[in-house]
Amino acid sequence: MIFLYQIIGSIIGLIAIILAILRFREGKMTIGMLSLWILIWIGVIYVSLDPGATNLFASFAGIGRGLDVVLILGLFGCYYLVFKIYTMIESMEKEITDLVRELALQRENIKSKSDVTSKKESK
């Protein structure tokens, strides 16, 4: 018997796979990230269709219930995403700092050159 949550989980997984493929076709995603997301969403579809499969992972990992395995993996995934976003922000902040520094130096060079030419013209 198929329950409503199994249908919803499968539909969400299929929609996510289609969106990942569309983002890849638009060039917004690498083949590695596409593969990772497809594997994740296939896992979501599999677990939603066969929730008892998580018990196998739970017994393998030494955790009591299958749902606990899913929650722990989700928590690890969230921490990984936070770390990835943090490193991206740090990298962008450094790039912006370097860019602003280079623009300031260029403006200073232009300003000093124009001051020299104006002094020569005034003499």
Side-chain angles (χ1 to χ4, degrees):
M1 180 169 189
I2 295 178
F3 294 101
L4 180 63
Y5 74 88
Q6 292 174 316
I7 295 171
I8 291 172
S10 299
I11 289 173
I12 289 173
L14 288 174
I15 289 172
I17 288 173
I18 290 169
L19 290 175
I21 291 171
L22 290 176
R23 287 185 55 86
F24 175 72
R25 290 177 122 192
E26 293 172 356
K28 295 180 180 176
M29 185 180 287
T30 62
I31 188 75
M33 288 303 293
L34 175 68
S35 302
L36 177 69
W37 282 113
I38 286 177
L39 283 175
I40 289 172
W41 289 114
I42 286 174
V44 168
I45 291 170
Y46 180 71
V47 168
S48 65
L49 290 177
D50 185 17
T54 58
N55 291 329
L56 177 68
F57 296 122
S59 64
F60 178 72
I63 298 173
R65 297 182 308 165
L67 181 61
D68 293 341
V69 170
V70 172
L71 292 176
I72 289 170
L73 289 177
L75 190 64
F76 287 157
C78 287
Y79 280 126
Y80 173 74
L81 289 177
V82 167
F83 174 73
K84 186 137 177 128
I85 290 170
Y86 175 76
T87 57
M88 286 175 55
I89 289 172
E90 287 286 323
S91 175
M92 286 178 28
E93 187 176 312
K94 183 179 180 327
E95 288 176 10
I96 289 172
T97 301
D98 291 343
L99 183 63
V100 168
R101 186 175 297 145
E102 188 172 318
L103 283 174
L105 290 173
Q106 285 178 356
R107 285 184 183 172
E108 183 63 28
N109 285 340
I110 291 171
K111 187 177 177 182
S112 65
K113 285 181 183 178
S114 67
D115 288 344
V116 169
T117 55
S118 64
K119 286 181 181 177
K120 286 182 181 178
E121 291 175 1
S122 66
K123 289 183 181 178

